[in-house]
Amino acid sequence: PKKRLERVAGSLHRLKVLHIIEHKKSDELDIGSPSEKAEKISRMLVEVNAIVAGLRLEGSYRREALGTGASIRKKLKGITKNVVEQQEELKALNERLASARASREKMLPFAGLSTPFEYYGGYENLVSFVGRAKDILRLKQELHGSYMMEDAEDMLLLFADKSSEEACRTMLKKHSFQQLNYDPAWKRSPKQAIMDLEAEEKSLQARSARIQRSLGQIAERARNFLLS
């Protein structure tokens, strides 16, 4: 009977009479569903294993008295809450850090230009081209019509009247122009925007390091409890 399950299982365990390693369910034989107590213990073990893996706990430890089931659950709940919250924050910081790095990498080719990103486009009567070209000095001599240009090494930012758009495209093609894409959300001059992202990265790295130290401290404090 199910009401005697725990007592029978306990007796078999103490006597070392039966230890099921593997079984195949059939109509004649099945080990049945675990008791409520066993189910709770199983859930706690899964939780402990997840925390141990997350904190990368390994090596030696000092076995300690764990106390009652209620006290174990309470302590485990507190550790889990703390660890999960910090791991989620760390994940969000890492995603922001990756995004900042990616944006900075995309901005680097523009670093020599001083015109703020917000002025690169959005005009009714002007077209703009930004990218790399060969022999920019000669390109300036060959361009005709109304235009403005800023250049740095092989990079250029060219503004021209819409009526000169096709002529500019033809001339740029002649100089092996390669258009570079930019994010319309970028603001400030490239140099300043890159500096801002570098500062953001440092701040995110510092916050990430603090959380990692905190998780390390939790791991050391909870080592004996979690590995016992």
Side-chain angles (χ1 to χ4, degrees), residues 98-170:
S99 176
R101 283 174 175 164
S103 294
R104 180 168 57 81
E105 287 296 319
K106 290 178 183 177
M107 287 181 185
L108 286 175
F110 301 86
L113 302 175
S114 62
T115 304
F117 284 117
E118 55 263 42
Y119 297 150
Y120 280 23
Y123 302 102
E124 290 185 9
N125 301 314
L126 293 176
V127 290
S128 62
F129 303 90
V130 60
R132 291 190 169 97
K134 294 181 178 179
D135 198 353
I136 292 177
L137 181 60
R138 187 173 181 81
L139 172 62
K140 288 179 180 179
Q141 296 169 351
E142 295 174 348
L143 280 171
H144 299 287
S146 178
Y147 74 90
M148 295 180 294
M149 184 192 292
E150 180 190 2
D151 62 277
E153 297 181 358
D154 64 341
M155 278 290 298
L156 65 82
L157 174 61
L158 172 65
F159 297 95
D161 190 273
K162 280 201 172 181
S163 60
S164 305
E165 181 175 358
E166 286 307 313
C168 285
R169 288 187 185 278
T170 301

Coordinates of all heavy atoms in Angstrom, one line a residue, residues 98-170:
A98 N 28.8 43.6 -25.1 CA 28.9 43.1 -26.5 C 28.4 44.1 -27.5 O 29.0 44.3 -28.6 CB 28.3 41.7 -26.6
S99 N 27.2 44.7 -27.2 CA 26.6 45.6 -28.1 C 27.5 46.9 -28.2 O 27.6 47.4 -29.3 CB 25.2 46.0 -27.6 OG 24.6 47.0 -28.4
A100 N 28.0 47.4 -27.1 CA 28.9 48.6 -27.1 C 30.1 48.3 -27.9 O 30.6 49.2 -28.7 CB 29.2 49.0 -25.7
R101 N 30.7 47.1 -27.7 CA 31.9 46.8 -28.5 C 31.6 46.7 -30.0 O 32.4 47.2 -30.8 CB 32.5 45.5 -28.0 CG 33.2 45.6 -26.7 CD 33.6 44.2 -26.1 NE 34.4 44.3 -24.9 CZ 34.6 43.2 -24.1 NH1 34.1 42.1 -24.4 NH2 35.3 43.4 -23.0
A102 N 30.5 46.1 -30.3 CA 30.2 46.0 -31.8 C 30.0 47.4 -32.4 O 30.4 47.6 -33.5 CB 28.9 45.1 -31.9
S103 N 29.3 48.2 -31.7 CA 29.0 49.6 -32.2 C 30.4 50.4 -32.3 O 30.6 51.0 -33.3 CB 28.1 50.4 -31.3 OG 26.8 49.8 -31.2
R104 N 31.2 50.2 -31.4 CA 32.5 50.9 -31.4 C 33.4 50.4 -32.6 O 34.0 51.2 -33.3 CB 33.3 50.7 -30.1 CG 34.7 51.4 -30.1 CD 35.3 51.4 -28.7 NE 35.4 50.1 -28.2 CZ 36.5 49.3 -28.5 NH1 37.4 49.6 -29.3 NH2 36.5 48.1 -27.9
E105 N 33.3 49.1 -32.8 CA 34.1 48.5 -34.0 C 33.5 49.1 -35.3 O 34.3 49.4 -36.2 CB 34.0 47.0 -34.0 CG 34.8 46.3 -32.9 CD 36.3 46.5 -33.1 OE1 36.7 46.5 -34.2 OE2 37.0 46.8 -32.1
K106 N 32.2 49.3 -35.4 CA 31.6 49.8 -36.6 C 32.0 51.3 -36.8 O 32.0 51.8 -37.9 CB 30.1 49.6 -36.6 CG 29.7 48.2 -36.7 CD 28.1 48.1 -36.6 CE 27.7 46.6 -36.7 NZ 26.2 46.5 -36.5
M107 N 32.2 52.0 -35.7 CA 32.5 53.4 -35.8 C 33.9 53.7 -36.1 O 34.2 54.8 -36.6 CB 32.1 54.1 -34.4 CG 30.7 54.3 -34.1 SD 30.5 55.1 -32.5 CE 28.7 55.0 -32.3
L108 N 34.8 52.8 -35.8 CA 36.3 53.0 -36.0 C 36.7 53.6 -37.3 O 37.5 54.5 -37.4 CB 37.0 51.8 -35.6 CG 37.1 51.4 -34.1 CD1 37.8 50.1 -33.9 CD2 37.8 52.6 -33.3
P109 N 36.1 53.1 -38.4 CA 36.5 53.6 -39.7 C 36.2 55.1 -39.9 O 36.8 55.8 -40.7 CB 35.7 52.8 -40.7 CG 35.4 51.5 -40.0 CD 35.2 51.9 -38.6
F110 N 35.2 55.6 -39.1 CA 34.8 57.0 -39.3 C 35.6 57.9 -38.4 O 35.4 59.1 -38.4 CB 33.3 57.1 -38.9 CG 32.4 56.3 -39.7 CD1 32.1 55.0 -39.4 CD2 31.7 56.9 -40.8 CE1 31.2 54.2 -40.1 CE2 30.9 56.1 -41.6 CZ 30.6 54.8 -41.3
A111 N 36.5 57.4 -37.6 CA 37.2 58.1 -36.5 C 37.9 59.4 -37.0 O 38.0 60.4 -36.2 CB 38.2 57.2 -35.8
G112 N 38.4 59.4 -38.2 CA 39.1 60.6 -38.7 C 38.2 61.7 -39.1 O 38.7 62.9 -39.3
L113 N 36.9 61.5 -39.2 CA 36.0 62.5 -39.6 C 35.4 63.3 -38.4 O 35.2 62.7 -37.3 CB 34.8 61.9 -40.4 CG 35.2 61.1 -41.7 CD1 33.9 60.5 -42.2 CD2 35.8 62.0 -42.7
S114 N 35.2 64.6 -38.5 CA 34.8 65.4 -37.4 C 33.3 65.7 -37.4 O 32.7 66.1 -36.4 CB 35.6 66.7 -37.3 OG 35.4 67.5 -38.5
T115 N 32.7 65.5 -38.6 CA 31.2 65.9 -38.7 C 30.4 64.9 -37.8 O 30.6 63.7 -38.0 CB 30.8 65.8 -40.2 OG1 31.6 66.6 -41.0 CG2 29.3 66.2 -40.3
P116 N 29.5 65.4 -37.0 CA 28.7 64.5 -36.1 C 27.8 63.6 -37.0 O 27.4 64.0 -38.1 CB 27.8 65.5 -35.3 CG 28.7 66.8 -35.3 CD 29.3 66.9 -36.6
F117 N 27.6 62.4 -36.5 CA 26.8 61.4 -37.2 C 25.4 62.0 -37.6 O 24.9 61.6 -38.6 CB 26.7 60.2 -36.4 CG 27.9 59.3 -36.4 CD1 28.6 59.0 -35.2 CD2 28.4 58.7 -37.6 CE1 29.7 58.2 -35.2 CE2 29.5 57.9 -37.6 CZ 30.2 57.7 -36.4
E118 N 24.8 62.8 -36.7 CA 23.4 63.2 -36.9 C 23.3 64.1 -38.2 O 22.2 64.4 -38.6 CB 22.8 63.9 -35.7 CG 23.6 65.0 -35.2 CD 24.5 64.6 -34.0 OE1 25.2 63.5 -34.1 OE2 24.6 65.4 -33.0
Y119 N 24.5 64.6 -38.7 CA 24.4 65.4 -39.9 C 24.7 64.7 -41.2 O 24.8 65.3 -42.2 CB 25.4 66.6 -39.7 CG 25.2 67.5 -38.6 CD1 26.2 68.1 -37.9 CD2 23.9 67.7 -38.1 CE1 26.0 69.0 -36.8 CE2 23.7 68.6 -37.0 CZ 24.7 69.2 -36.4 OH 24.5 70.0 -35.3
Y120 N 24.8 63.4 -41.1 CA 25.2 62.6 -42.3 C 24.1 62.5 -43.3 O 24.3 62.3 -44.5 CB 25.6 61.2 -41.9 CG 27.1 61.1 -41.4 CD1 27.7 62.2 -40.9 CD2 27.7 59.9 -41.4 CE1 29.0 62.1 -40.4 CE2 29.1 59.8 -40.9 CZ 29.7 60.9 -40.4 OH 31.0 60.8 -40.0
G121 N 22.8 62.6 -42.9 CA 21.7 62.4 -43.8 C 20.5 63.1 -43.3 O 20.5 63.8 -42.3
G122 N 19.4 62.8 -44.0 CA 18.1 63.3 -43.6 C 17.7 64.6 -44.3 O 16.9 65.4 -43.8
Y123 N 18.4 65.0 -45.4 CA 18.2 66.3 -46.1 C 17.2 66.1 -47.3 O 17.2 65.1 -47.9 CB 19.5 66.9 -46.6 CG 20.5 67.1 -45.5 CD1 21.6 66.1 -45.3 CD2 20.4 68.1 -44.6 CE1 22.5 66.3 -44.3 CE2 21.4 68.3 -43.6 CZ 22.4 67.4 -43.5 OH 23.3 67.6 -42.5
E124 N 16.5 67.1 -47.6 CA 15.5 67.1 -48.7 C 16.2 67.4 -50.0 O 15.9 66.8 -51.0 CB 14.4 68.1 -48.5 CG 13.4 67.7 -47.4 CD 12.2 68.7 -47.3 OE1 12.1 69.5 -48.2 OE2 11.5 68.6 -46.3
N125 N 17.2 68.4 -50.0 CA 17.8 68.8 -51.2 C 19.2 68.4 -51.4 O 19.9 68.8 -52.3 CB 17.7 70.4 -51.3 CG 16.2 70.9 -51.3 OD1 15.4 70.3 -52.0 ND2 16.0 71.9 -50.5
L126 N 19.7 67.6 -50.4 CA 21.1 67.2 -50.5 C 21.2 65.7 -50.4 O 20.3 65.0 -49.8 CB 21.9 67.8 -49.3 CG 22.2 69.3 -49.3 CD1 22.9 69.6 -48.0 CD2 23.0 69.8 -50.5
V127 N 22.2 65.1 -51.1 CA 22.5 63.7 -50.9 C 23.9 63.6 -50.3 O 24.7 64.5 -50.4 CB 22.6 63.0 -52.3 CG1 21.2 62.9 -52.9 CG2 23.5 63.7 -53.3
S128 N 24.1 62.6 -49.6 CA 25.4 62.4 -48.9 C 26.0 61.0 -49.2 O 25.3 60.0 -49.4 CB 25.2 62.5 -47.4 OG 24.4 61.6 -46.9
F129 N 27.3 61.0 -49.2 CA 28.0 59.7 -49.5 C 29.1 59.7 -48.4 O 29.8 60.6 -48.2 CB 28.7 59.7 -50.9 CG 27.7 59.9 -52.0 CD1 27.4 61.2 -52.5 CD2 27.1 58.8 -52.6 CE1 26.6 61.4 -53.5 CE2 26.2 59.0 -53.7 CZ 26.0 60.3 -54.1
V130 N 29.2 58.5 -47.8 CA 30.3 58.3 -46.8 C 30.9 57.0 -47.0 O 30.2 56.0 -47.2 CB 29.8 58.5 -45.3 CG1 28.7 57.5 -45.0 CG2 30.9 58.4 -44.3
G131 N 32.2 57.0 -47.1 CA 32.9 55.7 -47.3 C 34.4 55.9 -47.7 O 35.0 56.9 -47.5
R132 N 34.9 54.9 -48.3 CA 36.3 54.9 -48.7 C 36.5 55.1 -50.2 O 35.7 54.6 -51.0 CB 37.1 53.6 -48.3 CG 37.2 53.4 -46.8 CD 38.2 52.3 -46.5 NE 38.6 52.2 -45.1 CZ 38.0 51.5 -44.2 NH1 37.0 50.7 -44.5 NH2 38.4 51.5 -43.0
A133 N 37.5 55.8 -50.6 CA 37.8 56.0 -52.0 C 39.3 56.2 -52.3 O 40.1 56.5 -51.3 CB 37.1 57.3 -52.5
K134 N 39.7 55.9 -53.5 CA 41.1 56.1 -53.8 C 41.4 57.4 -54.4 O 40.6 58.0 -55.1 CB 41.5 55.0 -54.8 CG 41.5 53.6 -54.3 CD 41.9 52.5 -55.3 CE 41.8 51.1 -54.7 NZ 42.2 50.1 -55.8
D135 N 42.6 58.0 -54.1 CA 43.1 59.2 -54.6 C 42.0 60.4 -54.5 O 41.5 60.9 -55.4 CB 43.4 59.1 -56.1 CG 44.3 60.2 -56.6 OD1 44.6 61.2 -55.8 OD2 44.8 60.2 -57.8
I136 N 41.7 60.6 -53.2 CA 40.7 61.6 -52.9 C 41.1 63.0 -53.3 O 40.2 63.8 -53.8 CB 40.4 61.6 -51.3 CG1 39.7 60.3 -51.0 CG2 39.5 62.8 -51.0 CD1 39.4 60.1 -49.5
L137 N 42.4 63.3 -53.3 CA 42.8 64.6 -53.8 C 42.5 64.9 -55.2 O 42.0 65.9 -55.6 CB 44.4 64.8 -53.6 CG 45.0 66.1 -54.0 CD1 44.4 67.2 -53.2 CD2 46.5 66.0 -53.9
R138 N 42.7 63.9 -56.1 CA 42.3 64.0 -57.5 C 40.8 64.0 -57.6 O 40.3 64.7 -58.5 CB 42.9 62.8 -58.3 CG 42.7 62.9 -59.8 CD 43.5 61.8 -60.5 NE 43.3 61.9 -61.9 CZ 44.0 62.8 -62.7 NH1 44.9 63.6 -62.2 NH2 43.8 62.8 -64.0
L139 N 40.1 63.3 -56.8 CA 38.6 63.3 -56.8 C 38.1 64.7 -56.6 O 37.2 65.1 -57.3 CB 38.1 62.3 -55.8 CG 36.6 62.3 -55.5 CD1 35.8 61.9 -56.8 CD2 36.2 61.4 -54.4
K140 N 38.7 65.4 -55.7 CA 38.2 66.8 -55.4 C 38.4 67.7 -56.6 O 37.6 68.5 -56.9 CB 39.1 67.4 -54.3 CG 38.7 66.8 -52.9 CD 39.6 67.5 -51.8 CE 39.4 67.0 -50.4 NZ 40.2 67.6 -49.4
Q141 N 39.5 67.4 -57.4 CA 39.8 68.3 -58.6 C 38.8 67.9 -59.7 O 38.5 68.8 -60.5 CB 41.2 68.0 -59.0 CG 42.3 68.5 -58.0 CD 43.7 68.0 -58.4 OE1 43.8 67.2 -59.3 NE2 44.7 68.5 -57.7
E142 N 38.3 66.7 -59.7 CA 37.4 66.3 -60.8 C 36.0 66.5 -60.5 O 35.2 66.5 -61.5 CB 37.7 64.8 -61.1 CG 39.1 64.4 -61.6 CD 39.3 62.9 -61.7 OE1 38.5 62.2 -61.1 OE2 40.3 62.5 -62.3
L143 N 35.6 66.7 -59.3 CA 34.2 67.0 -58.9 C 33.8 68.3 -59.4 O 34.5 69.3 -59.3 CB 34.0 66.8 -57.4 CG 33.8 65.4 -56.9 CD1 33.8 65.5 -55.4 CD2 32.5 64.8 -57.4
H144 N 32.6 68.4 -59.9 CA 32.0 69.7 -60.4 C 30.7 70.0 -59.7 O 30.0 69.0 -59.2 CB 31.9 69.7 -61.9 CG 33.2 69.5 -62.6 ND1 34.2 70.5 -62.7 CD2 33.7 68.5 -63.3 CE1 35.2 70.0 -63.4 NE2 34.9 68.8 -63.8
G145 N 30.2 71.2 -59.8 CA 28.9 71.5 -59.2 C 29.1 71.9 -57.7 O 30.1 72.1 -57.2
S146 N 27.9 71.9 -57.1 CA 27.8 72.4 -55.7 C 28.0 71.2 -54.8 O 27.2 70.3 -54.8 CB 26.5 73.1 -55.4 OG 26.4 73.4 -54.1
Y147 N 29.1 71.2 -54.0 CA 29.3 70.0 -53.1 C 30.2 70.5 -51.9 O 30.9 71.5 -52.0 CB 30.0 68.9 -53.8 CG 31.5 69.1 -54.1 CD1 32.5 68.7 -53.2 CD2 31.9 69.7 -55.3 CE1 33.8 68.9 -53.5 CE2 33.2 69.9 -55.6 CZ 34.2 69.5 -54.7 OH 35.5 69.7 -54.9
M148 N 30.2 69.7 -50.8 CA 31.0 69.9 -49.7 C 31.6 68.6 -49.3 O 30.9 67.6 -49.4 CB 30.2 70.5 -48.5 CG 29.7 71.9 -48.7 SD 28.8 72.5 -47.2 CE 27.4 71.3 -47.2
M149 N 32.9 68.6 -48.9 CA 33.5 67.3 -48.6 C 34.4 67.4 -47.4 O 35.1 68.4 -47.2 CB 34.3 66.8 -49.8 CG 35.0 65.4 -49.5 SD 36.2 64.9 -50.8 CE 35.1 64.7 -52.2
E150 N 34.4 66.4 -46.6 CA 35.4 66.3 -45.5 C 36.1 64.9 -45.8 O 35.4 63.9 -46.1 CB 34.8 66.2 -44.1 CG 35.8 66.1 -43.0 CD 35.2 65.8 -41.6 OE1 33.9 65.7 -41.5 OE2 36.0 65.7 -40.7
D151 N 37.4 64.9 -45.6 CA 38.1 63.6 -45.8 C 39.2 63.4 -44.8 O 39.7 64.4 -44.2 CB 38.7 63.6 -47.2 CG 39.7 64.7 -47.5 OD1 39.3 65.8 -47.8 OD2 40.9 64.4 -47.4
A152 N 39.6 62.2 -44.6 CA 40.7 61.8 -43.7 C 41.3 60.6 -44.2 O 40.6 59.5 -44.2 CB 40.2 61.7 -42.3
E153 N 42.5 60.6 -44.7 CA 43.2 59.5 -45.3 C 42.3 59.0 -46.5 O 42.1 59.7 -47.4 CB 43.5 58.4 -44.3 CG 44.4 58.8 -43.2 CD 44.7 57.7 -42.2 OE1 44.2 56.6 -42.3 OE2 45.5 58.0 -41.3
D154 N 41.8 57.7 -46.4 CA 41.0 57.2 -47.6 C 39.5 57.3 -47.3 O 38.7 56.8 -48.1 CB 41.4 55.8 -47.9 CG 41.0 54.8 -46.7 OD1 40.9 55.3 -45.6 OD2 40.9 53.6 -47.0
M155 N 39.1 58.0 -46.2 CA 37.7 58.2 -45.9 C 37.2 59.5 -46.4 O 37.9 60.5 -46.3 CB 37.5 58.1 -44.4 CG 37.4 56.7 -43.8 SD 35.9 55.8 -44.3 CE 34.7 56.8 -43.5
L156 N 35.9 59.6 -46.8 CA 35.4 60.9 -47.2 C 33.9 60.9 -46.8 O 33.2 59.9 -46.7 CB 35.5 61.1 -48.7 CG 34.8 60.2 -49.7 CD1 33.4 60.6 -49.9 CD2 35.5 60.2 -51.0
L157 N 33.4 62.1 -46.6 CA 32.0 62.4 -46.4 C 31.7 63.5 -47.4 O 32.2 64.6 -47.3 CB 31.8 62.9 -45.0 CG 30.4 63.4 -44.6 CD1 29.3 62.2 -44.8 CD2 30.3 63.9 -43.2
L158 N 30.8 63.2 -48.3 CA 30.5 64.1 -49.4 C 29.1 64.5 -49.4 O 28.2 63.6 -49.3 CB 30.9 63.5 -50.7 CG 30.5 64.2 -52.0 CD1 31.2 65.5 -52.2 CD2 30.7 63.3 -53.3
F159 N 28.8 65.8 -49.5 CA 27.4 66.3 -49.6 C 27.3 67.0 -50.9 O 28.2 67.8 -51.3 CB 27.1 67.3 -48.5 CG 27.2 66.8 -47.1 CD1 28.3 66.9 -46.3 CD2 26.1 66.1 -46.6 CE1 28.4 66.4 -45.0 CE2 26.1 65.6 -45.3 CZ 27.3 65.7 -44.5
A160 N 26.3 66.7 -51.7 CA 26.1 67.4 -53.0 C 24.6 67.7 -53.2 O 23.7 67.0 -52.6 CB 26.6 66.4 -54.1
D161 N 24.4 68.6 -54.1 CA 23.0 69.0 -54.5 C 22.4 67.8 -55.2 O 23.1 67.0 -55.9 CB 23.0 70.2 -55.4 CG 21.6 70.7 -55.6 OD1 21.0 70.2 -56.6 OD2 21.2 71.6 -54.9
K162 N 21.1 67.5 -55.0 CA 20.5 66.4 -55.6 C 20.6 66.3 -57.1 O 20.6 65.3 -57.7 CB 19.0 66.3 -55.1 CG 18.8 65.7 -53.7 CD 17.4 65.2 -53.5 CE 17.4 64.4 -52.2 NZ 16.1 63.8 -51.9
S163 N 20.7 67.5 -57.7 CA 20.8 67.6 -59.1 C 22.2 67.0 -59.6 O 22.3 66.7 -60.8 CB 20.6 69.0 -59.6 OG 21.6 69.9 -59.0
S164 N 23.1 67.0 -58.7 CA 24.5 66.5 -59.0 C 24.7 65.0 -58.6 O 25.8 64.5 -58.7 CB 25.5 67.3 -58.4 OG 25.4 68.7 -58.7
E165 N 23.6 64.4 -58.1 CA 23.8 63.0 -57.5 C 24.4 62.0 -58.5 O 25.4 61.3 -58.2 CB 22.4 62.5 -57.0 CG 22.5 61.1 -56.4 CD 21.2 60.7 -55.8 OE1 20.2 61.5 -55.9 OE2 21.1 59.5 -55.3
E166 N 23.9 61.9 -59.7 CA 24.4 60.9 -60.7 C 25.8 61.2 -61.1 O 26.6 60.3 -61.2 CB 23.4 60.9 -61.9 CG 22.1 60.2 -61.6 CD 22.3 58.8 -61.0 OE1 23.1 58.0 -61.5 OE2 21.6 58.5 -60.0
A167 N 26.1 62.5 -61.3 CA 27.5 62.9 -61.6 C 28.5 62.5 -60.5 O 29.6 62.0 -60.8 CB 27.6 64.4 -61.9
C168 N 28.0 62.7 -59.3 CA 28.9 62.3 -58.1 C 29.0 60.8 -58.0 O 30.2 60.3 -57.8 CB 28.2 62.8 -56.8 SG 28.4 64.6 -56.5
R169 N 28.0 60.0 -58.3 CA 28.1 58.6 -58.2 C 29.1 58.1 -59.3 O 29.9 57.2 -59.0 CB 26.7 58.0 -58.5 CG 25.7 58.1 -57.3 CD 24.5 57.3 -57.5 NE 23.5 57.5 -56.5 CZ 23.5 56.9 -55.3 NH1 24.5 56.0 -55.0 NH2 22.6 57.2 -54.4
T170 N 29.0 58.7 -60.5 CA 29.9 58.3 -61.6 C 31.3 58.5 -61.2 O 32.2 57.7 -61.4 CB 29.5 59.0 -62.9 OG1 28.2 58.7 -63.2 CG2 30.4 58.6 -64.0

